[in-house]
Each structure stands twice: as structure tokens, then as C-alpha cells.
Amino acid sequence: MSVEAAVAGRLAGVVAGPLVGRLQRELARRGRARGSLAHALDRIPDGRTVSPTALLNDLPHGVTNRDVLSCIETPEFRALSQQLMAVEILDGDLRAATKIKFALRDFFRRRFRDADVAALNNYSELLFTHLHRRCEGLVRELRAALKDESQAIDWAHATLARATADSIESYLAILARPHRLTSEDRDEWTQRYRKAFSLHEEIPLPDLGNRRRIHYGEIFVQPRLIHGQAGGRTTFDDFIDAIDRTVLLGDPGAGKSTSSAISASLLFQRGRSIPFYVVMREVDFTASGFSLVKVIEEQLSHRYQIKVPEGLVEEVLLEGSALLVFDGLDEVQSASLRRRSSEIIETASRLYPLSRVLATSRIVGYSSARLNPVTFHEYRIQPFDDGLVLESGEVRAYVSKWFSVGSRLPEPPGQVTDAFMRESASIPDLRCNPLLLAYICVLYRGHRFIPRSRAQLYKKCAELLLADWDNFQGLPVDSETDLDTVRHTLAALAYRSITDPQWLAGMPEADVKTVAAAAMSDESVPAHEEARRLAEDLVDLCRGRAWIFTELGTELDGSGIFGFTHQSLQEYFAALHLARNSGTPELLADRLLPELTGGRWEILAQICMNLADEKWAGGSSRVVTRLLERGQTAEGDGLRTLVEFMARRLDVVKINVATMQLLMKLAIESYISTGSGELREFLSPSGPYPEAAWAAFQAVAESRLTLEADRGTRHGLAVAWLVAHVHDLPASPRDRQAVSVHADAVGAHLGSLESLRKIALNALHHSPAGWALSLYTGAADIRTLASPQARRAAGPPDAAHSNVLSVMLDTAGTPHSLGPISPAAWIFDTLGATGTGTGIGADETRCGRARNALADLTAMLGDPMDTLVNLDLPRLDDQFLAYWNTCGAARCDRAFRELYERSGRGDRGGSPALTGLIYLCMGLMELFEEAFTAQVRYPLSLALLAKARREDRQVLEPLLPRLAYPARRFVQNWSGGRHIWSMDRAQVS
């Protein structure tokens, strides 16, 4: 192999990097990171180092290997090479490859103007030829590895290769411009921009009275991140490395903007990207002829005072050196504008395929304008890990840093941190949000008191700042009334700035004065002229000060643009304005309804509810009731959005019994209709009012069962199924155990209702769920359930089960995956759950039903009317196998041991219940051997049967006397190699 070929091979490895990285990340997202493709990608050379001696051959006179190395490391050379790789992925467009070859030749000519032209042309063509061949080879390797991975290669076509190839013409046009910057001038511009961009390395200390800027390392705590729907955890450093087509999601105050700014700054420092930071709320997406390049140039000029040479921004974008950061997608006012902005971001990712793209958004509101999830990987910032009160955790780490840099207390920071962690333990949900945690630190330092509700929390923060108002000279605020005037003026400004789209990026000075003067005139200033003067004084005092309301920038005429220093303060003051100017809680709810159903104003609405309690008796309950009543006629998912909102915010919104029952009624309806998780959150032991929630569930469920008992509808069956298995609703065994103090009593009461059994009987002949529910609730015994009509309802749509054993083993499915996945699983769960045995400490009624079902099964299988001759095979799927290996095998074994012991306590006729369980085990064994082989975990009960069948029938001798008489010969014949599904009548009896 020639030297140039070796060099080209290494270079091809370099330029394949974006494709390889994206393919690997996509395979990992799809759970295929260990397949043949992943190994093939790992074998591709990364090309990070190229030996200088490998470039010596055929160099033109006067050109050194160091010169060539410096060329290869330029963004221009890398972009051309990556475009060549893209061309090869798209089956090798010869015309496009030729254009790249000539562009590479021109590139060398510009770099080495004094070199011999002919020799330089020969060298660039030689290098291009070898590079082209190696790209072809790499693509062949990829295609060979991808022959069974068509989905992945389709993704590569859609997201990298096609877009990259389409960008060739634009990039070549940029390179042909007559007045491009020289490499030296560009390096000098980059250095100046890097210095200006370093402002993002400093962040304002989250101390509302002292907004000095500090290096992020002094206060920043790296967030915990979850990647994609699967919820894989990733570190902040790995997130930065993986930024490509990326969305960073989080709750308000979680640190999305801070994390994105620090990520951009670190990538810039490391020389891996040149960031262009676009604040979405400052962009006018309604303008015709929208130009992203122009927006970037304007922001570079205004924010960083950096003049941008013509064409440089687009060159950086096209060559792949840029990181585009779109901060605050959710802050675009309307859903239509958010969709428009999402389209612009997706278009930018296609126009500039080699550059990185990072967007940030609140979780709430993102779904209405979600970026294409096939292309954009989503990461979620998790709340701070609280840790223990005095041990490690992100909350403690942040608090320790805050009091180290922001405290003016006499005690040592460590001592203050310990006290703060103890005294804030009652609000773990609030202190897990970084922004709220900063506010709480401010309050604790000022008052050593931490309020519970967000309205009170923000109110105290505002009072702290307003109390410092006398430090500002010039505005007469000598009394509490004057402070109220300022407070109410800020409320009017906040409400107008939130509701008027033209002021989302800030209010012009003239408009601030107009709104403030009007608010003062309406509140407590009797003369218009005085109100205008006070408004001007307010504006002058806010100018240049990082107070609640501050100057954000300037207009061309030198006048200011003003806004709130924190969005949370803006939301508090806007909520204050809404609550004060709504005549009743119902009118307040009517104003909030369209915003909440549209996925907006979540925090603002919560504050309004807190304030409603201060203004009216039962205020928040009246607001919530009105919202839920009106929401039932809302279009689309409006009602579900409201219920989801309450599930998230019930911990800090007070509601009465009637409102709780209405909320529970709607949560039950939502669960039955869609399987959504709000009901689970309400009934969770970690919820704010678990006892009240379970009491409300009991009241609503009992009423619904009574109503549905005479209707015989599918809806009634869904309600009854939920009631029968609501104890399984909490997500984890620990949660189910924690909530059992409420769930057991509620379940026992509802399970005793005749209306529940009536609904089950009505559905018995109509669905597998009705058959199973009749068994579980005791509405019918096995003999009734074994009738041909009942078996027909329990069987598959195209055939009836010929035997009740088949029905018991069949996994016909359960509504919303709630409850046992088959009647056999119900037997194992009821008799063999940890700590229950056969009913000790558990619901003895359920255990008695399970034992009776096994005994009836024994009787039925020995009865001529329901013989074991020619049984149909039941459905048994991977879901049952997963259940069996996770917990079913252990529960089956515990049930077997207990029934075995019980059978030896004087029952000489044998145990019908134990016999029925053995029948289930025999049927399962054959199904397992046929469908799953070695994947199945065998507990003692099945292992004993397996040994008898495969090795030694004598191991069953201790068991046979404990079985009911008709079963003994049947079990003996089965252990001799007979098949349970094809025995004749003589072998059975």
C-alpha cells in the first residue's frame, strides 16, 4: 500500500466520524448497541492521528509535511471530505464527487500560492483518489454490516447523507466567494469571539439581592440526565460529547439554559465547535423571509459586540464547525409559532448537516411542537437528588456552594447548610428544583423561615426585594401603602408582558411607562400627572439594576427594553394581578382554562390557586372545581391535560372533599379510557393526601358500581375490573406495601359489594375479562365457568376453549395491564405472594376463593362432561414467561409447599386444591418445553414433576397419596411420557 493510500485510510476514518457516531447512538437508542453493526463500526479507524512522515511522498517543492497536516486539520478540508463520504453513501454521484475534487484542488492552491501549480494539482488529485477509494471501501463495509439493519441505514440516509450531499452546492459557492477571510483573519476573529463568549462561563449568583456574576464552577451542580423514552441515565460530560441533534428538556428552573450555555462554552473552549446562541423569545418568527443567518449575525452584534465578516456565519455552519443553540423553544408564545420555530430548527439541521444543533424547552408545551424524534435525541434534566438530610445529594451540594459564596451569616457555611437541610426537609419537591432552591436559600438567610406554597415562597422573595427598595434613592416609598403600589404596578407589568406576544422579549421603555402609570392611577395615585412622574422614576431606578424588574437591553434610539429578572417572579406577579382582578374564583378559573388546556401557565395557575385561598374561602377548591367542570367540554385532550396538571400540583394546591371526589371521578374515567397514569399518581403513597385520595376513590367507585350494575356495558366491566385490582395500581411492590393501610380497607369494602359481582356475571359470557373477573370476585364457581357458553367467551375470537384448564392457563390479556395476566397467575399471586401463605395476614376471602377454584378444577377434570381428551393449547406468550421468571415461579412454589403441608393434616382423601395446582403445573411444563425450553426457571414444584417425567417416576410416591383419587392414575400416566393435551379417556380416569 502506498503512503498516500495509508494516509487516505486514516483520513477516511476521520471523516466517517459523524456518520459512525450518529449510527452508534441511534443503535443504542433502539437497544441494538451490541449487534453486528455496532462491532463493524467499532472496527473503523478513528483517524485521530496521522503520521507526519506518511505525507512526505510526492510533496511539491516548498511544501512540508507540517504544511499538509495543518491543511488536513482545517474545517474546510474536513467538510469537503465528509461531503465526499456522503456522496458515496448515496451510491456515488460522479458529478458531485468531481466538484469536490476540484474544490479540494482549489483549496490546496489557496493554501500554497507559491508552490508549483502542476505539482500541487498532481498531489491533490493523488490524495483525492486515495481518499475517494477509502471512502468507497468504508461504505462497502458499512453496507455489508447493515444488510440486516435496513432501518438503521434508512436513518443514515435521512439524517446525514442526503442532507450533507444536498449542502455541497451551497458550500462550494461559499468557498468561491472572492473576499473570504484568510485563515489567519478567521483565527483572529474566532479568538475575539471566544473571549466575548466566555461571558457564559460566568452566571449570576442566584441571590436576588446581590446579582453579581461568578464563575459557574462556584455554584453549578452538574444535572442528572435521562436519555430518551427508555430512561437511560447519562452524565453531563457524556451529554456534552453526544450533542448532535439534541433536545434538552426540563421543568421550570431545572437549569436548561444554564446547562446549554455551559455546554456551548466548554465545546468552544475545547476547539470542537463555534457556538451560535439563539434565544427563542427574542426572535420574530412571524417576519417574512425569515433568515437564521441574519438572526445569528444580529445577536452576535448586539449581545457580544462582535462584527461578523460577510458570509462567515454561513461558512461555519456549512463546514460543520458550528453549534446552534436554540434556547427556550417553549417560550415562543403560541402553539402555531412554536410549530413554526420547530420547522425552522429542523430546516437548519438539514441545511447545515455537519453542524451540531441543541434546543432547550420546558417539558410542558414541548409536545405541541416536538422536533422530529427520529432525528433529534431527547434528554431530560432530572430534579436534584435530595439524598439524606445530612448526607450526600445534589441539593446539599448546591446549598453548600450557595452559602459559601452568597451567605452573609455569621455561622460557618457548613453549619448553615446542615440547619437548612433539616428545616427544609418538609418541602423536598420544592428544594429539588435549582431555581426554587436558590429562592429558598435567600429566604432562609433573611428570615430563617421557609414557606410551603409557591405563592408564599415567591411572595416572601418579593418582600425581601421590596424591603430593600429604600436602598434606591429617588422614589418616595415611605409606607406599606406605597410598597403595595409598587407591588401592584409590577403585577400589571408582569401580566401585560406575559399576555402580549409583542413584549415576550421585553417591554420598550415607553410602553413600560404607559402601563405603569395606568396601574398607579387605577390603584392609589389620585393624579395622572403624578402617576406618570412616578412611573418615570420607577423606570429610571430599574435601569442598570438587577432588581425584580430590570433593563434587558436598548433600542436603536437609546431607550431601554425592560423585563423581569426571573421568569418565576414574572409568573408570581402576573398571577397576583389575575387573582386581584378576578371578581370570583370561577371567573379566575375561566381565565386560566384556555391556557392550561393549551399546555401553558402551569406555574402561574398554581400560584393563582394559592392566592385564591388567601382571597376567598375555599378559593382554590372553587377554582379547581370550575376548571374540571368546564374542562369536560374542552376540545381534544383538554380535560386530560387538566387532570395531569392536578396530579402534578395537588401537593401544593388545597382542595376540599367534594373537589377531591370530582377529581377522582375524572381520573378514573381517564384511566379507563386511555390507561393514563394520573390515577396512579393520586393513589401513590408519595402523594400529598393518600388517605383522602383512597377515601375519594372508594366513594366514587361505589357510586359508579351501583350505577353500572344494571346497564351491562363494557364500561361497567372496566370500572369493576379497576375496582377489583386497584391494590395493584401503585407502580412498585414497595409502594403497594406502603399504601396497603388504605388500599386493603377500601378493597375489602368494595369487594363485598353485590354490584361488583353483578357486573362480573353480566360480562361472564361476553369477554375473557368478564370470565376472569367472575372467578376473582367469587361471582361464579368453576363449574359455572366451565360451561361451553362461558368457555366460548373466554377463548380466542375464532374458537372456544374445549376445557377449563386451557382457560386457566390462557393469557387473554388484562385491561391496561392491571391485575393478573391469567387465572393461573391469579392463583399463584393469591396463594403464594410473599408473606401471605394461604391467607395468613392477607385477604382470607381471596385465598379461600383461590383454593376453591383449584378444588373445583380437580373435580371438573375428572368429570366426564369436561374431560382432558384432545385439549386445545392455550395461548402462552413472552409476557407470561417474564412474569413467571420474575415472580410467578417463586409464588407457585410457595403455594405448592403450603398446600402440600396442608394436605398432610388429616385429609386422607387427598387435597383437591393441591391436585388442581399440580394440574396447572403439568400443563405449564408442557407449554414451557414446547415454547421456551431452557429459558424457564423451574421451582421445586415443577422440578419434581420434571424429574419424575424424565428420570425417575418414584420421586412422586410421597406426593401421590396427597392427591385426590381420580388424579393419581392420571399423574402416573403423565409421568410415563403421556401428553396432557392428547390423553384418551381411559388414561385420564
Side-chain angles (χ1 to χ4, degrees):
M1 179 186 296
S2 71
V3 175
E4 283 74 15
V7 172
R10 302 300 294 174
L11 293 176
V14 173
V15 301
L19 170 63
V20 171
R22 288 179 180 179
L23 282 176
Q24 287 175 321
R25 284 192 292 274
E26 186 63 17
L27 288 174
R29 178 163 67 170
R30 299 181 184 187
R32 299 159 74 178
R34 299 184 179 275
S36 59
L37 172 61
H39 289 125
L41 295 176
D42 287 338
R43 292 195 299 269
I44 293 177
D46 62 14
R48 291 177 183 172
T49 60
V50 179
S51 170
T53 59
L55 297 167
L56 291 175
N57 283 19
D58 300 310
L59 283 174
H61 179 70
V63 178
T64 67
N65 61 318
R66 180 176 296 181
D67 295 333
V68 177
L69 275 175
S70 66
C71 288
I72 290 171
E73 292 169 357
T74 61
E76 186 175 336
F77 184 90
R78 184 172 60 247
L80 290 170
S81 303
Q82 288 170 347
Q83 288 166 346
L84 180 61
M85 176 67 77
V87 167
E88 289 310 313
I89 290 175
L90 297 174
D91 299 323
D93 184 335
L94 183 58
R95 292 179 58 190
T98 301
K99 291 179 180 179
I100 294 172
K101 179 176 73 172
F102 289 143
L104 191 62
R105 181 198 63 189
D106 294 340
F107 166 73
F108 275 104
R109 285 183 180 177
R110 288 192 299 273
R111 297 286 294 195
F112 308 116
R113 298 183 184 276
D114 297 332
D116 180 76
V117 175
L120 196 60
N121 288 347
N122 289 336
Y123 184 80
S124 66
E125 184 155 352
L126 179 63
L127 185 58
F128 172 83
T129 300
H130 288 300
L131 180 61
H132 194 187
R133 288 174 182 171
R134 277 304 290 141
C135 288
E136 290 175 332
L138 282 177
V139 171
R140 281 196 300 272
E141 292 179 34
L142 285 174
R143 289 191 180 281
L146 286 166
K147 60 185 178 182
D148 296 324
E149 310 268 6
S150 59
Q151 193 173 14
I153 194 65
D154 288 345
W155 177 85
H157 273 280
T159 63
L160 176 67
R162 174 57 63 191
T164 304
D166 289 345
S167 70
I168 290 174
E169 293 289 346
S170 299
Y171 187 54
L172 295 181
I174 286 286
L175 297 182
R177 284 189 300 106
H179 301 297
R180 284 182 64 224
L181 285 185
T182 64
S183 58
E184 293 79 9
D185 289 341
R186 174 166 163 170
D187 289 343
E188 190 272 333
W189 181 89
T190 302
Q191 288 298 328
R192 285 192 290 111
Y193 181 35
R194 183 179 288 115
K195 184 176 180 180
F197 197 83
S198 64
L199 67 87
H200 291 288
E201 296 176 26
E202 295 183 346
I203 58 179
L205 173 66
D207 181 348
L208 300 181
N210 178 21
R211 298 286 291 175
R212 64 187 175 92
R213 298 183 69 87
I214 59 174
H215 189 271
Y216 72 86
E218 295 186 67
I219 193 67
F220 182 66
V221 175
Q222 290 191 358
R224 293 182 301 128
L225 298 164
I226 297 296
H227 180 204
Q229 297 297 322
R233 292 189 177 184
T234 189
T235 67
F236 187 59
D237 289 336
D238 288 341
F239 163 76
I240 293 174
D241 289 338
I243 291 174
D244 181 16
R245 298 293 183 269
T246 306
V247 182
L248 183 60
L249 301 169
D251 290 324
K256 303 176 296 296
S257 296
T258 300
S259 297
S260 65
I262 291 173
S263 299
S265 183
L266 288 173
L267 287 171
F268 204 178
Q269 283 180 13
R270 298 167 186 173
R272 295 172 55 187
S273 289
I274 298 175
F276 297 135
Y277 206 87
V278 179
V279 180
M280 300 297 283
R281 66 172 178 269
E282 299 176 1
V283 178
D284 182 8
F285 291 102
T286 62
S288 60
F290 178 87
S291 169
L292 177 61
V293 171
K294 184 177 180 181
V295 167
I296 293 171
E297 289 175 343
E298 289 176 351
Q299 296 213 355
L300 287 173
S301 176
H302 294 160
R303 178 174 297 157
Y304 305 103
Q305 302 300 305
I306 293 289
K307 184 177 180 181
V308 188
E310 182 183 354
L312 180 59
V313 168
E314 187 156 19
E315 180 176 338
V316 172
L317 289 168
L318 283 167
E319 72 189 15
S321 297
L323 164 62
L324 275 170
V325 181
F326 297 95
D327 185 35
L329 178 58
D330 60 290
E331 295 178 22
V332 178
Q333 173 70 359
S334 67
S336 61
L337 285 180
R338 283 200 294 273
R339 286 191 292 271
R340 162 79 170 144
S341 61
S342 294
E343 291 170 0
I344 288 172
I345 294 173
E346 291 180 349
T347 300
S349 74
R350 291 191 297 270
L351 289 176
Y352 311 115
L354 300 179
S355 287
R356 305 170 187 241
V357 179
L358 171 63
T360 72
S361 173
R362 288 186 182 186
I363 297 172
V364 175
Y366 177 64
S367 59
S368 65
R370 186 183 185 188
L371 294 167
N372 186 349
V374 175
T375 306
F376 283 82
H377 287 234
E378 296 170 2
Y379 292 79
R380 295 191 178 210
I381 297 181
Q382 298 298 100
F384 273 171
D385 181 9
D386 210 353
L388 301 175
V389 171
L390 293 176
E391 299 298 330
S392 62
E394 289 154 354
V395 170
R396 181 178 177 83
Y398 184 90
V399 171
S400 178
K401 287 187 172 188
W402 195 94
F403 282 114
S404 294
V405 298
S407 175
R408 297 194 296 265
L409 297 173
E411 301 95 329
Q415 182 179 334
V416 177
T417 300
D418 289 343
F420 178 93
M421 293 298 291
R422 283 192 297 267
E423 295 182 32
S424 64
S426 62
I427 50 170
D429 58 316
L430 295 182
R431 73 182 188 180
C432 285
N433 180 285
L435 181 59
L436 292 179
L437 182 57
Y439 289 170
I440 298 168
C441 288
V442 173
L443 289 176
Y444 187 76
R445 185 188 62 195
H447 294 280
R448 297 300 177 94
F449 169 74
I450 300 173
R452 178 76 177 110
S453 78
R454 279 177 173 80
Q456 285 295 319
L457 181 64
Y458 296 153
K459 181 179 180 180
K460 290 294 183 182
C461 289
E463 286 176 350
L464 281 175
L465 291 167
L466 289 169
D468 287 338
W469 185 256
D470 58 0
N471 293 327
F472 299 151
Q473 301 299 317
L475 188 67
V477 285
D478 301 326
S479 67
E480 182 63 29
T481 302
D482 293 321
L483 286 177
D484 283 343
T485 299
V486 174
R487 184 183 293 112
H488 300 153
T489 300
L490 291 172
L493 290 167
Y495 181 74
R496 290 293 300 275
S497 63
I498 275 182
T499 56
D500 195 324
Q502 67 175 324
W503 292 338
L504 287 177
M507 295 181 69
E509 183 174 326
D511 294 320
V512 172
K513 292 176 180 179
T514 300
V515 173
M520 291 178 179
S521 296
D522 291 342
E523 290 287 347
S524 57
V525 179
H528 290 297
E529 191 60 36
E530 183 183 0
R532 283 193 289 270
R533 180 182 60 80
L534 288 174
E536 290 178 358
D537 290 343
L538 176 65
V539 167
D540 290 339
L541 289 168
C542 290
R543 199 188 311 276
R545 290 185 173 94
W547 189 59
I548 297 174
F549 193 70
T550 190
E551 187 178 29
L552 303 176
T554 57
E555 299 272 31
L556 294 177
D557 61 2
S559 61
I561 299 174
F562 289 80
F564 285 81
T565 51
H566 289 280
Q567 183 176 353
S568 297
L569 286 173
Q570 182 187 31
E571 289 171 330
Y572 164 71
F573 280 105
L576 178 63
H577 181 87
L578 259 180
R580 293 186 70 247
N581 288 277
S582 297
T584 65
E586 289 73 23
L587 291 175
L588 176 59
D590 291 345
R591 179 64 187 89
L592 294 174
L593 180 63
E595 306 299 335
L596 284 174
T597 55
R600 301 177 297 274
W601 285 19
E602 180 167 344
I603 299 298
L604 192 153
Q606 177 192 320
I607 299 169
C608 281
M609 293 173 190
N610 295 150
L611 294 172
D613 267 332
E614 299 178 7
K615 185 176 181 181
W616 300 289
S620 59
S621 291
R622 291 171 64 183
V623 171
V624 174
T625 298
R626 178 74 160 210
L627 284 171
L628 296 177
E629 290 174 347
R630 291 292 180 91
Q632 294 179 61
T633 59
E635 296 181 355
D637 293 332
L639 178 60
R640 181 179 173 184
T641 301
L642 289 174
V643 177
E644 288 177 346
F645 164 75
M646 289 307 304
R648 288 190 297 270
R649 301 301 172 187
L650 189 60
D651 56 335
V652 286
V653 174
K654 299 175 183 178
I655 58 174
N656 57 27
V657 171
T659 305
M660 174 66 88
Q661 290 188 3
L662 175 59
L663 186 57
M664 188 60 63
K665 173 188 173 184
L666 297 176
I668 290 173
E669 292 296 326
S670 179
Y671 181 84
I672 290 173
S673 302
T674 65
S676 57
E678 301 83 45
L679 181 61
R680 181 176 284 110
E681 292 187 43
F682 287 135
L683 299 178
S684 166
S686 60
Y689 313 113
E691 183 177 3
W694 280 94
F697 178 84
Q698 177 177 314
V700 172
E702 184 170 356
S703 174
R704 292 304 306 275
L705 289 174
T706 302
L707 183 66
E708 296 287 349
D710 296 322
R711 293 181 175 179
T713 64
R714 292 179 180 271
H715 193 77
L717 174 60
V719 173
W721 185 274
L722 171 62
V723 167
H725 301 100
V726 69
H727 54 279
D728 292 329
L729 199 59
S732 67
R734 177 180 295 180
D735 284 352
R736 289 193 287 274
Q737 179 64 33
V739 84
S740 61
V741 64
H742 310 301
D744 288 350
V746 171
H749 173 76
L750 295 176
S752 67
L753 297 177
E754 190 59 36
S755 55
L756 177 64
R757 285 181 285 280
K758 186 174 182 179
I759 292 173
L761 283 175
N762 288 340
L764 168 61
H765 297 137
H766 303 296
S767 75
W771 193 99
L773 188 64
S774 298
L775 175 65
Y776 304 159
T777 60
D781 58 20
I782 288 290
R783 292 183 178 276
T784 302
L785 295 170
S787 68
Q789 186 180 7
R791 290 202 312 268
R792 190 158 42 247
D798 55 347
H801 280 301
S802 62
N803 188 274
V804 72
L805 178 62
S806 299
V807 183
M808 295 288 286
L809 294 174
D810 198 5
T811 54
T814 57
H816 305 306
S817 300
L818 179 67
I821 62 175
S822 73
W826 173 74
I827 295 286
F828 304 145
D829 292 346
T830 302
L831 297 180
T834 304
T836 63
T838 56
I840 300 173
D843 184 350
E844 178 58 34
T845 302
R846 285 202 310 268
C847 293
R849 288 173 186 162
R851 287 194 297 270
N852 291 339
L854 290 173
D856 288 348
L857 179 64
T858 299
M860 292 304 301
L861 294 181
D863 193 305
M865 69 171 279
D866 198 358
T867 183
L868 284 171
V869 177
N870 299 322
L871 291 179
D872 60 293
L873 290 174
R875 292 164 289 187
L876 203 63
D877 54 20
D878 290 334
Q879 184 184 11
F880 187 91
L881 177 63
Y883 157 78
W884 179 261
N885 285 337
T886 302
C887 60
R891 292 175 180 177
C892 173
D893 199 38
R894 279 193 290 271
F896 173 80
R897 289 172 185 271
E898 193 70 29
L899 291 176
Y900 184 84
E901 291 298 324
R902 181 183 284 262
S903 70
R905 299 172 188 166
D907 187 359
R908 295 188 177 181
S911 168
L914 177 62
T915 305
L917 183 63
I918 291 298
Y919 283 160
L920 288 180
C921 291
M922 291 160 58
L924 280 176
M925 270 194 62
E926 293 191 0
L927 293 174
F928 285 153
E929 289 174 352
E930 178 176 328
F932 302 117
T933 63
Q935 300 178 52
V936 179
R937 175 185 171 193
Y938 277 6
L940 173 65
S941 47
L942 266 67
L944 186 69
L945 294 172
K947 184 175 178 62
R949 182 154 186 164
R950 297 169 184 167
E951 302 176 20
D952 183 6
R953 296 171 60 182
Q954 294 182 354
V955 300
L956 291 180
E957 290 183 1
L959 174 65
L960 291 176
R962 303 194 184 210
L963 302 181
Y965 176 75
R968 296 172 187 173
R969 182 180 176 188
F970 169 54
V971 174
Q972 284 179 315
N973 286 333
W974 176 84
S975 65
R978 310 290 186 186
H979 197 288
I980 190 172
W981 308 111
S982 59
M983 287 187 182
D984 58 32
R985 185 167 306 205
Q987 291 167 334
V988 171
S989 58

